[in-house]
Amino acid sequence: MESGQTMRGADAVIKVLAAHGVTTIFGYPGGAIMPIYDALYGHPVEHLLSRHEQGAAFAAVGYARASGKTGVCFATSGPGATNLITSLSDALLDSVPVVAITGQVSTAVIGTDAFQEIDVLGMSLSCTKHSFMVTDINELIPTLYKAFEIAASGRPGPVLVDIPKDIQIAELEYKTPLLSVVEEPAPVLTDIEAARALLQQASKPILYVGGGVGMAGAVDHLRQFINETGIPSVATLKGLGAIAHGTKGYLGMLGMHGGKAANLAVQNCDLLIVVGARFDDRVTGRLATFAGNAKVLHLDIDIAEINKLRQADVAISADFRQVLPALSNSIELKSHELAQWQQEVEELYREHQWDYQHPGDLIYAPAMLRRLANKLPEDSVVSCDVGQHQMWVAQHMWFRRPEDHLSSAGLGTMGFGLPAAIGAQVARPDATVVTVSGDGSFMMNVQELTTIKRRKLPVKILLIDNQKLGMVKQWQQLFFEQRYSETDLSDNPDFVLMASAFDIPGRTIHRAEEVEAALDEMLAAPGPFMLHVAIDDAFNVWPLVPPGACNSDMMDQMEKQT
């Protein structure tokens, strides 16, 4: 180990962050973390003050997802730490590398119900990849190094480090730990051969692509595999962007709100090639019927996902950047049968293309989002909240890479979109960052408009307002006999007026004829801008696989109740 100067634990924390290339921290100060904030004073590592700890952690998530780096957030003890829990849960379910550092009351009073004391270590164990409490000053630096290693290696995830106040002010000699080398498991040759045999036997193979591909940095390897094999493909919500828009045989998102062509193709396949996906219930519908006649080839870095929900005929837990080239190398597929399958998939695609023509002069959100996708510059990020607008974005927009589409997939957290967009804009200052939100979700973390104002971030806000909790209202309409319990938001504030209080200009549109010019105005704005879009609450998300149904049993717009 290298020896250095003597310093406080708090100063060592900031030094470790800088050594890991951290340039921005998102957080909110308080009593138990005050020494660390004192160490930040005047330091070149930037701190971005969020207005709620959940917003800080979601900004760290957005930063991580848009950049591929590990996001970092700070919070104090007690309510500061508990406010991180939702965001850390979101990061865990979506496998996002985040290091959260919390202050804690001094070790002498831990367990006494001291002011703002909470067992954040125990509380966070179920919503982090790993959690630490540092009780020995000599373990502070090694623990922080270990936290960054755990967060980014294998299947990424959030790590929390809880640091009591007396540890922060204690002195230590700064020593850089010996770095361990984390090697991903190499694919076993016999597994590769078994997988290749499955591919060569298949007549109707299809790729089911999840978020693991982007996290593994294997997007180019996946695209090369598709180019070499010609195998059709679908993607999960988190897998969007991994397959290039316009790729032959690519059918878009599958699952509860996936496209009809995607769901039907999966149901008809004879080999399901699962790459970085986990058979989530929103994807599979009734699991027993999901691709019921198909064999399964499952590729995932996390061995815990193998055979968890669906028994694989062949499984490989290894780095996709090694596995995919090995699978496609000189492989001979059933050319005649594959050609017939490719034609069948193309016919499904043509038969079930989206119809963007809508009668009347009201704004039809899917058509508007399609226009937005056409207009966005190449280096753009779209961050979503959760609800109907989230599914419309997934269905009707496309993305250059997975890091260009930020959406709370596993936890489905309302309030995600605005702070995640802030993190993305900080990570990629030259990118056009648009957050698409709904009137329900937007109010969940609306305080982060102040963060945009303070940092002068040019985040664009596309707020789709139907004065309803739209997705809940849609389910009440379809499955609860139109008993609309607590989904009315007709008392929404004037959103454009609200934005103006934060020095964010904006406008409201109501008619389809206004969409084109309004999108252009939003995208051309040199700073932040809010485009408030009023839509009819009768518009729902279609198709929809009812809960507990097979994915082939999709409801569409013609079957909706009035």
mmCIF file with all atom_site columns, all heavy atoms in Angstrom, residues 176-197:
data_model
loop_
_atom_site.group_PDB
_atom_site.id
_atom_site.type_symbol
_atom_site.label_atom_id
_atom_site.label_alt_id
_atom_site.label_comp_id
_atom_site.label_asym_id
_atom_site.label_entity_id
_atom_site.label_seq_id
_atom_site.pdbx_PDB_ins_code
_atom_site.Cartn_x
_atom_site.Cartn_y
_atom_site.Cartn_z
_atom_site.occupancy
_atom_site.B_iso_or_equiv
_atom_site.pdbx_formal_charge
_atom_site.auth_seq_id
_atom_site.auth_comp_id
_atom_site.auth_asym_id
_atom_site.auth_atom_id
_atom_site.pdbx_PDB_model_num
ATOM 1   N N   . THR A 1 176 ? -3.647  3.809   -0.099  1.00 0.00 ? 176 THR A N   1
ATOM 2   C CA  . THR A 1 176 ? -4.428  3.245   -1.195  1.00 0.00 ? 176 THR A CA  1
ATOM 3   C C   . THR A 1 176 ? -4.388  1.722   -1.103  1.00 0.00 ? 176 THR A C   1
ATOM 4   O O   . THR A 1 176 ? -3.304  1.136   -1.127  1.00 0.00 ? 176 THR A O   1
ATOM 5   C CB  . THR A 1 176 ? -3.873  3.689   -2.555  1.00 0.00 ? 176 THR A CB  1
ATOM 6   O OG1 . THR A 1 176 ? -3.888  5.112   -2.611  1.00 0.00 ? 176 THR A OG1 1
ATOM 7   C CG2 . THR A 1 176 ? -4.701  3.110   -3.689  1.00 0.00 ? 176 THR A CG2 1
ATOM 8   N N   . PRO A 1 177 ? -5.507  1.059   -0.977  1.00 0.00 ? 177 PRO A N   1
ATOM 9   C CA  . PRO A 1 177 ? -5.501  -0.403  -0.860  1.00 0.00 ? 177 PRO A CA  1
ATOM 10  C C   . PRO A 1 177 ? -4.986  -1.057  -2.143  1.00 0.00 ? 177 PRO A C   1
ATOM 11  O O   . PRO A 1 177 ? -5.055  -0.481  -3.238  1.00 0.00 ? 177 PRO A O   1
ATOM 12  C CB  . PRO A 1 177 ? -6.964  -0.755  -0.632  1.00 0.00 ? 177 PRO A CB  1
ATOM 13  C CG  . PRO A 1 177 ? -7.647  0.523   -0.308  1.00 0.00 ? 177 PRO A CG  1
ATOM 14  C CD  . PRO A 1 177 ? -6.863  1.613   -0.945  1.00 0.00 ? 177 PRO A CD  1
ATOM 15  N N   . LEU A 1 178 ? -4.484  -2.271  -1.990  1.00 0.00 ? 178 LEU A N   1
ATOM 16  C CA  . LEU A 1 178 ? -4.147  -3.063  -3.163  1.00 0.00 ? 178 LEU A CA  1
ATOM 17  C C   . LEU A 1 178 ? -5.446  -3.444  -3.855  1.00 0.00 ? 178 LEU A C   1
ATOM 18  O O   . LEU A 1 178 ? -6.358  -3.985  -3.232  1.00 0.00 ? 178 LEU A O   1
ATOM 19  C CB  . LEU A 1 178 ? -3.370  -4.321  -2.757  1.00 0.00 ? 178 LEU A CB  1
ATOM 20  C CG  . LEU A 1 178 ? -1.974  -4.084  -2.177  1.00 0.00 ? 178 LEU A CG  1
ATOM 21  C CD1 . LEU A 1 178 ? -1.384  -5.411  -1.696  1.00 0.00 ? 178 LEU A CD1 1
ATOM 22  C CD2 . LEU A 1 178 ? -1.049  -3.441  -3.212  1.00 0.00 ? 178 LEU A CD2 1
ATOM 23  N N   . LEU A 1 179 ? -5.537  -3.144  -5.129  1.00 0.00 ? 179 LEU A N   1
ATOM 24  C CA  . LEU A 1 179 ? -6.774  -3.367  -5.849  1.00 0.00 ? 179 LEU A CA  1
ATOM 25  C C   . LEU A 1 179 ? -6.894  -4.826  -6.267  1.00 0.00 ? 179 LEU A C   1
ATOM 26  O O   . LEU A 1 179 ? -5.965  -5.402  -6.828  1.00 0.00 ? 179 LEU A O   1
ATOM 27  C CB  . LEU A 1 179 ? -6.840  -2.461  -7.083  1.00 0.00 ? 179 LEU A CB  1
ATOM 28  C CG  . LEU A 1 179 ? -6.763  -0.957  -6.801  1.00 0.00 ? 179 LEU A CG  1
ATOM 29  C CD1 . LEU A 1 179 ? -6.797  -0.188  -8.108  1.00 0.00 ? 179 LEU A CD1 1
ATOM 30  C CD2 . LEU A 1 179 ? -7.891  -0.522  -5.896  1.00 0.00 ? 179 LEU A CD2 1
ATOM 31  N N   . SER A 1 180 ? -8.052  -5.406  -5.987  1.00 0.00 ? 180 SER A N   1
ATOM 32  C CA  . SER A 1 180 ? -8.300  -6.768  -6.452  1.00 0.00 ? 180 SER A CA  1
ATOM 33  C C   . SER A 1 180 ? -8.789  -6.726  -7.889  1.00 0.00 ? 180 SER A C   1
ATOM 34  O O   . SER A 1 180 ? -9.428  -5.764  -8.314  1.00 0.00 ? 180 SER A O   1
ATOM 35  C CB  . SER A 1 180 ? -9.340  -7.459  -5.570  1.00 0.00 ? 180 SER A CB  1
ATOM 36  O OG  . SER A 1 180 ? -10.552 -6.747  -5.589  1.00 0.00 ? 180 SER A OG  1
ATOM 37  N N   . VAL A 1 181 ? -8.500  -7.741  -8.643  1.00 0.00 ? 181 VAL A N   1
ATOM 38  C CA  . VAL A 1 181 ? -8.941  -7.827  -10.025 1.00 0.00 ? 181 VAL A CA  1
ATOM 39  C C   . VAL A 1 181 ? -10.150 -8.749  -10.082 1.00 0.00 ? 181 VAL A C   1
ATOM 40  O O   . VAL A 1 181 ? -10.067 -9.929  -9.723  1.00 0.00 ? 181 VAL A O   1
ATOM 41  C CB  . VAL A 1 181 ? -7.819  -8.364  -10.947 1.00 0.00 ? 181 VAL A CB  1
ATOM 42  C CG1 . VAL A 1 181 ? -8.329  -8.494  -12.369 1.00 0.00 ? 181 VAL A CG1 1
ATOM 43  C CG2 . VAL A 1 181 ? -6.598  -7.449  -10.883 1.00 0.00 ? 181 VAL A CG2 1
ATOM 44  N N   . VAL A 1 182 ? -11.288 -8.183  -10.483 1.00 0.00 ? 182 VAL A N   1
ATOM 45  C CA  . VAL A 1 182 ? -12.519 -8.969  -10.579 1.00 0.00 ? 182 VAL A CA  1
ATOM 46  C C   . VAL A 1 182 ? -12.650 -9.484  -11.999 1.00 0.00 ? 182 VAL A C   1
ATOM 47  O O   . VAL A 1 182 ? -12.775 -8.714  -12.948 1.00 0.00 ? 182 VAL A O   1
ATOM 48  C CB  . VAL A 1 182 ? -13.747 -8.120  -10.210 1.00 0.00 ? 182 VAL A CB  1
ATOM 49  C CG1 . VAL A 1 182 ? -15.014 -8.942  -10.343 1.00 0.00 ? 182 VAL A CG1 1
ATOM 50  C CG2 . VAL A 1 182 ? -13.603 -7.573  -8.798  1.00 0.00 ? 182 VAL A CG2 1
ATOM 51  N N   . GLU A 1 183 ? -12.578 -10.787 -12.148 1.00 0.00 ? 183 GLU A N   1
ATOM 52  C CA  . GLU A 1 183 ? -12.677 -11.390 -13.477 1.00 0.00 ? 183 GLU A CA  1
ATOM 53  C C   . GLU A 1 183 ? -14.058 -12.014 -13.649 1.00 0.00 ? 183 GLU A C   1
ATOM 54  O O   . GLU A 1 183 ? -14.535 -12.749 -12.792 1.00 0.00 ? 183 GLU A O   1
ATOM 55  C CB  . GLU A 1 183 ? -11.598 -12.458 -13.663 1.00 0.00 ? 183 GLU A CB  1
ATOM 56  C CG  . GLU A 1 183 ? -10.174 -11.890 -13.660 1.00 0.00 ? 183 GLU A CG  1
ATOM 57  C CD  . GLU A 1 183 ? -9.130  -12.954 -13.983 1.00 0.00 ? 183 GLU A CD  1
ATOM 58  O OE1 . GLU A 1 183 ? -9.543  -14.122 -14.200 1.00 0.00 ? 183 GLU A OE1 1
ATOM 59  O OE2 . GLU A 1 183 ? -7.943  -12.632 -14.017 1.00 0.00 ? 183 GLU A OE2 1
ATOM 60  N N   . GLU A 1 184 ? -14.693 -11.662 -14.757 1.00 0.00 ? 184 GLU A N   1
ATOM 61  C CA  . GLU A 1 184 ? -15.981 -12.268 -15.055 1.00 0.00 ? 184 GLU A CA  1
ATOM 62  C C   . GLU A 1 184 ? -15.768 -13.737 -15.445 1.00 0.00 ? 184 GLU A C   1
ATOM 63  O O   . GLU A 1 184 ? -14.722 -14.090 -16.006 1.00 0.00 ? 184 GLU A O   1
ATOM 64  C CB  . GLU A 1 184 ? -16.665 -11.533 -16.213 1.00 0.00 ? 184 GLU A CB  1
ATOM 65  C CG  . GLU A 1 184 ? -16.790 -10.038 -16.002 1.00 0.00 ? 184 GLU A CG  1
ATOM 66  C CD  . GLU A 1 184 ? -17.718 -9.659  -14.867 1.00 0.00 ? 184 GLU A CD  1
ATOM 67  O OE1 . GLU A 1 184 ? -18.270 -10.573 -14.223 1.00 0.00 ? 184 GLU A OE1 1
ATOM 68  O OE2 . GLU A 1 184 ? -17.873 -8.464  -14.604 1.00 0.00 ? 184 GLU A OE2 1
ATOM 69  N N   . PRO A 1 185 ? -16.713 -14.606 -15.137 1.00 0.00 ? 185 PRO A N   1
ATOM 70  C CA  . PRO A 1 185 ? -16.553 -16.014 -15.490 1.00 0.00 ? 185 PRO A CA  1
ATOM 71  C C   . PRO A 1 185 ? -16.438 -16.197 -17.000 1.00 0.00 ? 185 PRO A C   1
ATOM 72  O O   . PRO A 1 185 ? -17.143 -15.541 -17.772 1.00 0.00 ? 185 PRO A O   1
ATOM 73  C CB  . PRO A 1 185 ? -17.827 -16.667 -14.947 1.00 0.00 ? 185 PRO A CB  1
ATOM 74  C CG  . PRO A 1 185 ? -18.815 -15.543 -14.811 1.00 0.00 ? 185 PRO A CG  1
ATOM 75  C CD  . PRO A 1 185 ? -18.006 -14.338 -14.476 1.00 0.00 ? 185 PRO A CD  1
ATOM 76  N N   . ALA A 1 186 ? -15.511 -17.058 -17.397 1.00 0.00 ? 186 ALA A N   1
ATOM 77  C CA  . ALA A 1 186 ? -15.342 -17.336 -18.821 1.00 0.00 ? 186 ALA A CA  1
ATOM 78  C C   . ALA A 1 186 ? -16.345 -18.407 -19.253 1.00 0.00 ? 186 ALA A C   1
ATOM 79  O O   . ALA A 1 186 ? -16.686 -19.306 -18.473 1.00 0.00 ? 186 ALA A O   1
ATOM 80  C CB  . ALA A 1 186 ? -13.918 -17.832 -19.090 1.00 0.00 ? 186 ALA A CB  1
ATOM 81  N N   . PRO A 1 187 ? -16.856 -18.307 -20.459 1.00 0.00 ? 187 PRO A N   1
ATOM 82  C CA  . PRO A 1 187 ? -17.795 -19.326 -20.923 1.00 0.00 ? 187 PRO A CA  1
ATOM 83  C C   . PRO A 1 187 ? -17.125 -20.688 -21.038 1.00 0.00 ? 187 PRO A C   1
ATOM 84  O O   . PRO A 1 187 ? -15.984 -20.792 -21.487 1.00 0.00 ? 187 PRO A O   1
ATOM 85  C CB  . PRO A 1 187 ? -18.234 -18.800 -22.293 1.00 0.00 ? 187 PRO A CB  1
ATOM 86  C CG  . PRO A 1 187 ? -17.160 -17.863 -22.727 1.00 0.00 ? 187 PRO A CG  1
ATOM 87  C CD  . PRO A 1 187 ? -16.595 -17.274 -21.473 1.00 0.00 ? 187 PRO A CD  1
ATOM 88  N N   . VAL A 1 188 ? -17.833 -21.717 -20.609 1.00 0.00 ? 188 VAL A N   1
ATOM 89  C CA  . VAL A 1 188 ? -17.308 -23.077 -20.674 1.00 0.00 ? 188 VAL A CA  1
ATOM 90  C C   . VAL A 1 188 ? -17.508 -23.613 -22.092 1.00 0.00 ? 188 VAL A C   1
ATOM 91  O O   . VAL A 1 188 ? -18.584 -23.474 -22.678 1.00 0.00 ? 188 VAL A O   1
ATOM 92  C CB  . VAL A 1 188 ? -18.019 -23.982 -19.646 1.00 0.00 ? 188 VAL A CB  1
ATOM 93  C CG1 . VAL A 1 188 ? -17.507 -25.412 -19.736 1.00 0.00 ? 188 VAL A CG1 1
ATOM 94  C CG2 . VAL A 1 188 ? -17.821 -23.412 -18.244 1.00 0.00 ? 188 VAL A CG2 1
ATOM 95  N N   . LEU A 1 189 ? -16.475 -24.226 -22.641 1.00 0.00 ? 189 LEU A N   1
ATOM 96  C CA  . LEU A 1 189 ? -16.514 -24.670 -24.029 1.00 0.00 ? 189 LEU A CA  1
ATOM 97  C C   . LEU A 1 189 ? -17.662 -25.636 -24.291 1.00 0.00 ? 189 LEU A C   1
ATOM 98  O O   . LEU A 1 189 ? -18.350 -25.530 -25.304 1.00 0.00 ? 189 LEU A O   1
ATOM 99  C CB  . LEU A 1 189 ? -15.178 -25.340 -24.405 1.00 0.00 ? 189 LEU A CB  1
ATOM 100 C CG  . LEU A 1 189 ? -15.023 -25.781 -25.866 1.00 0.00 ? 189 LEU A CG  1
ATOM 101 C CD1 . LEU A 1 189 ? -15.174 -24.585 -26.799 1.00 0.00 ? 189 LEU A CD1 1
ATOM 102 C CD2 . LEU A 1 189 ? -13.692 -26.482 -26.082 1.00 0.00 ? 189 LEU A CD2 1
ATOM 103 N N   . THR A 1 190 ? -17.912 -26.520 -23.343 1.00 0.00 ? 190 THR A N   1
ATOM 104 C CA  . THR A 1 190 ? -19.000 -27.478 -23.565 1.00 0.00 ? 190 THR A CA  1
ATOM 105 C C   . THR A 1 190 ? -20.362 -26.779 -23.594 1.00 0.00 ? 190 THR A C   1
ATOM 106 O O   . THR A 1 190 ? -21.257 -27.177 -24.338 1.00 0.00 ? 190 THR A O   1
ATOM 107 C CB  . THR A 1 190 ? -18.998 -28.557 -22.466 1.00 0.00 ? 190 THR A CB  1
ATOM 108 O OG1 . THR A 1 190 ? -19.006 -27.920 -21.178 1.00 0.00 ? 190 THR A OG1 1
ATOM 109 C CG2 . THR A 1 190 ? -17.755 -29.437 -22.566 1.00 0.00 ? 190 THR A CG2 1
ATOM 110 N N   . ASP A 1 191 ? -20.517 -25.736 -22.786 1.00 0.00 ? 191 ASP A N   1
ATOM 111 C CA  . ASP A 1 191 ? -21.757 -24.967 -22.800 1.00 0.00 ? 191 ASP A CA  1
ATOM 112 C C   . ASP A 1 191 ? -21.920 -24.242 -24.131 1.00 0.00 ? 191 ASP A C   1
ATOM 113 O O   . ASP A 1 191 ? -23.034 -24.169 -24.677 1.00 0.00 ? 191 ASP A O   1
ATOM 114 C CB  . ASP A 1 191 ? -21.770 -23.947 -21.658 1.00 0.00 ? 191 ASP A CB  1
ATOM 115 C CG  . ASP A 1 191 ? -21.853 -24.599 -20.287 1.00 0.00 ? 191 ASP A CG  1
ATOM 116 O OD1 . ASP A 1 191 ? -22.295 -25.755 -20.217 1.00 0.00 ? 191 ASP A OD1 1
ATOM 117 O OD2 . ASP A 1 191 ? -21.464 -23.946 -19.304 1.00 0.00 ? 191 ASP A OD2 1
ATOM 118 N N   . ILE A 1 192 ? -20.836 -23.707 -24.648 1.00 0.00 ? 192 ILE A N   1
ATOM 119 C CA  . ILE A 1 192 ? -20.876 -23.016 -25.939 1.00 0.00 ? 192 ILE A CA  1
ATOM 120 C C   . ILE A 1 192 ? -21.300 -23.997 -27.035 1.00 0.00 ? 192 ILE A C   1
ATOM 121 O O   . ILE A 1 192 ? -22.155 -23.689 -27.880 1.00 0.00 ? 192 ILE A O   1
ATOM 122 C CB  . ILE A 1 192 ? -19.510 -22.394 -26.278 1.00 0.00 ? 192 ILE A CB  1
ATOM 123 C CG1 . ILE A 1 192 ? -19.217 -21.213 -25.348 1.00 0.00 ? 192 ILE A CG1 1
ATOM 124 C CG2 . ILE A 1 192 ? -19.454 -21.954 -27.734 1.00 0.00 ? 192 ILE A CG2 1
ATOM 125 C CD1 . ILE A 1 192 ? -20.090 -20.004 -25.584 1.00 0.00 ? 192 ILE A CD1 1
ATOM 126 N N   . GLU A 1 193 ? -20.743 -25.178 -27.010 1.00 0.00 ? 193 GLU A N   1
ATOM 127 C CA  . GLU A 1 193 ? -21.085 -26.162 -28.042 1.00 0.00 ? 193 GLU A CA  1
ATOM 128 C C   . GLU A 1 193 ? -22.541 -26.602 -27.925 1.00 0.00 ? 193 GLU A C   1
ATOM 129 O O   . GLU A 1 193 ? -23.233 -26.783 -28.929 1.00 0.00 ? 193 GLU A O   1
ATOM 130 C CB  . GLU A 1 193 ? -20.149 -27.375 -27.935 1.00 0.00 ? 193 GLU A CB  1
ATOM 131 C CG  . GLU A 1 193 ? -18.713 -27.067 -28.359 1.00 0.00 ? 193 GLU A CG  1
ATOM 132 C CD  . GLU A 1 193 ? -18.653 -26.456 -29.748 1.00 0.00 ? 193 GLU A CD  1
ATOM 133 O OE1 . GLU A 1 193 ? -19.325 -26.949 -30.673 1.00 0.00 ? 193 GLU A OE1 1
ATOM 134 O OE2 . GLU A 1 193 ? -17.931 -25.445 -29.917 1.00 0.00 ? 193 GLU A OE2 1
ATOM 135 N N   . ALA A 1 194 ? -23.020 -26.758 -26.686 1.00 0.00 ? 194 ALA A N   1
ATOM 136 C CA  . ALA A 1 194 ? -24.420 -27.131 -26.498 1.00 0.00 ? 194 ALA A CA  1
ATOM 137 C C   . ALA A 1 194 ? -25.344 -26.022 -26.987 1.00 0.00 ? 194 ALA A C   1
ATOM 138 O O   . ALA A 1 194 ? -26.392 -26.281 -27.592 1.00 0.00 ? 194 ALA A O   1
ATOM 139 C CB  . ALA A 1 194 ? -24.682 -27.437 -25.021 1.00 0.00 ? 194 ALA A CB  1
ATOM 140 N N   . ALA A 1 195 ? -24.954 -24.772 -26.736 1.00 0.00 ? 195 ALA A N   1
ATOM 141 C CA  . ALA A 1 195 ? -25.752 -23.638 -27.196 1.00 0.00 ? 195 ALA A CA  1
ATOM 142 C C   . ALA A 1 195 ? -25.757 -23.553 -28.716 1.00 0.00 ? 195 ALA A C   1
ATOM 143 O O   . ALA A 1 195 ? -26.801 -23.293 -29.343 1.00 0.00 ? 195 ALA A O   1
ATOM 144 C CB  . ALA A 1 195 ? -25.209 -22.342 -26.590 1.00 0.00 ? 195 ALA A CB  1
ATOM 145 N N   . ARG A 1 196 ? -24.616 -23.763 -29.318 1.00 0.00 ? 196 ARG A N   1
ATOM 146 C CA  . ARG A 1 196 ? -24.529 -23.744 -30.782 1.00 0.00 ? 196 ARG A CA  1
ATOM 147 C C   . ARG A 1 196 ? -25.387 -24.859 -31.393 1.00 0.00 ? 196 ARG A C   1
ATOM 148 O O   . ARG A 1 196 ? -26.019 -24.666 -32.442 1.00 0.00 ? 196 ARG A O   1
ATOM 149 C CB  . ARG A 1 196 ? -23.072 -23.888 -31.223 1.00 0.00 ? 196 ARG A CB  1
ATOM 150 C CG  . ARG A 1 196 ? -22.257 -22.605 -31.023 1.00 0.00 ? 196 ARG A CG  1
ATOM 151 C CD  . ARG A 1 196 ? -20.761 -22.860 -31.155 1.00 0.00 ? 196 ARG A CD  1
ATOM 152 N NE  . ARG A 1 196 ? -20.402 -23.386 -32.462 1.00 0.00 ? 196 ARG A NE  1
ATOM 153 C CZ  . ARG A 1 196 ? -20.144 -22.631 -33.542 1.00 0.00 ? 196 ARG A CZ  1
ATOM 154 N NH1 . ARG A 1 196 ? -20.198 -21.314 -33.454 1.00 0.00 ? 196 ARG A NH1 1
ATOM 155 N NH2 . ARG A 1 196 ? -19.802 -23.191 -34.682 1.00 0.00 ? 196 ARG A NH2 1
ATOM 156 N N   . ALA A 1 197 ? -25.434 -26.004 -30.720 1.00 0.00 ? 197 ALA A N   1
ATOM 157 C CA  . ALA A 1 197 ? -26.259 -27.101 -31.213 1.00 0.00 ? 197 ALA A CA  1
ATOM 158 C C   . ALA A 1 197 ? -27.747 -26.715 -31.186 1.00 0.00 ? 197 ALA A C   1
ATOM 159 O O   . ALA A 1 197 ? -28.498 -27.020 -32.127 1.00 0.00 ? 197 ALA A O   1
ATOM 160 C CB  . ALA A 1 197 ? -26.027 -28.355 -30.371 1.00 0.00 ? 197 ALA A CB  1
#
